[in-house]
Amino acid sequence: MFEGPLQDLIDELSRLPGVGPKSAQRIAFHLLQVEPEDVNRLIGALGAVRDGVTFCRICCNISRSDVCRICADSGRDRGTICVIEEPKDIQVIERTGEFNGRYHVLGGALDPLANVGPKDLTISTLLQRIGGVLPDRELADSTKDTPLYDDAPEITEVILATDPNTEGEATASYLGRLLKDFPDLTISRLASGMPLGGDLEFVDELTLSRALSGRLKL
Ligand code: ZN
């Protein structure tokens, strides 16, 4: 245990995800030694992250402005939406270079045990995007010039890319049922494949059963 501000800093740092007490101590001592301007830059970044970040009104991704970089990109296919749980999932899919549509960030997954229901996710926003209708008046943006949602592009495909765990699967099947009401919409779920370079006998049962039920025709 240290005294005063140093211990306070260590305590605060150890609250961060992925930072244990030892790392917190190491970061705190590092900050004691660096140049004041480096510390000030960090303080500035910490302050700005709360005030300078907003959510895209189309896809609910974290954004600097009203519409995020991806939704504003006219080179992307506006008809395809990839539904993911968290903003960080976008980076993962972007890295594959295989997807050129737009995203929808749910803000989590359905989890009855943690009291996360459909209302806690951005499901109604998703439905409004697909339906192309404006939301209830109380949800609508007060400024007339900015429609709350997209200027109604024709959505033709929704890819459900929630996590391949119990909550993610439950969320995907819930959304799948809801989206069946849109007859012209293609709905797909990310294929759950076998790990490449793996051996069949080491694949867990859940992965194997998903791979079997989602098998591809050759
Ligand atoms: Zn967006």
Side-chain angles (χ1 to χ4, degrees):
M1 290 295 270
F2 300 93
E3 285 191 17
L6 181 61
Q7 187 60 46
D8 292 345
L9 178 59
I10 294 173
D11 291 344
E12 288 306 319
L13 288 170
S14 12
R15 278 183 224 255
L16 301 174
V19 182
K22 274 196 175 161
S23 314
Q25 208 170 313
R26 209 162 53 233
I27 297 169
F29 275 103
H30 169 76
L31 291 173
L32 271 183
Q33 287 162 356
V34 299
E35 299 294 326
E37 52 265 39
D38 289 340
V39 177
N40 286 336
R41 232 185 8 256
L42 177 62
I43 293 170
L46 288 172
V49 76
R50 281 212 76 91
D51 306 334
V53 162
T54 179
F55 293 92
C56 171
R57 68 182 155 84
I58 297 171
C59 71
C60 308
N61 184 20
I62 290 170
S63 172
R64 253 170 197 261
S65 51
D66 192 33
V67 173
C68 77
R69 191 176 44 81
I70 292 177
C71 288
D73 184 347
S74 59
R76 298 189 73 116
D77 171 15
R78 291 150 61 89
T80 311
I81 298 179
C82 179
V83 179
I84 42 155
E85 292 183 17
E86 306 288 346
K88 63 182 164 58
D89 300 333
I90 292 181
Q91 317 305 327
V92 180
I93 294 183
E94 286 294 288
R95 275 204 298 271
T96 66
E98 291 287 329
F99 181 67
N100 191 40
R102 304 209 286 196
Y103 294 92
H104 190 84
V105 182
L106 289 173
L110 294 176
D111 186 358
L113 292 179
N115 267 327
V116 181
K119 283 208 171 92
D120 301 306
L121 307 177
T122 62
I123 292 175
S124 66
T125 316
L126 174 66
L127 294 181
Q128 283 149 3
R129 278 181 83 177
I130 296 164
V133 290
L134 281 171
D136 295 337
R137 205 163 294 158
E138 67 229 43
L139 286 170
D141 203 308
S142 52
T143 51
K144 241 187 162 183
D145 299 338
T146 9
L148 187 55
Y149 297 101
D150 217 351
D151 43 343
E154 189 96 350
I155 307 291
T156 51
E157 184 177 5
V158 172
I159 302 167
L160 301 171
T162 49
D163 290 346
N165 54 28
T166 318
E167 294 80 22
E169 293 291 338
T171 310
S173 57
Y174 177 83
L175 289 175
R177 282 197 304 277
L178 280 182
L179 297 178
K180 279 213 177 83
D181 290 344
F182 298 91
D184 299 328
L185 192 67
T186 305
I187 309 158
S188 53
R189 173 92 175 103
L190 275 197
S192 239
M194 314 277 285
L196 293 180
D199 194 318
L200 202 61
E201 70 174 307
F202 299 120
V203 177
D204 68 277
E205 279 160 39
L206 190 64
T207 305
L208 194 53
S209 73
R210 268 291 299 278
L212 263 175
S213 63
R215 64 189 179 276
L216 299 172
K217 204 169 178 185
L218 291 178

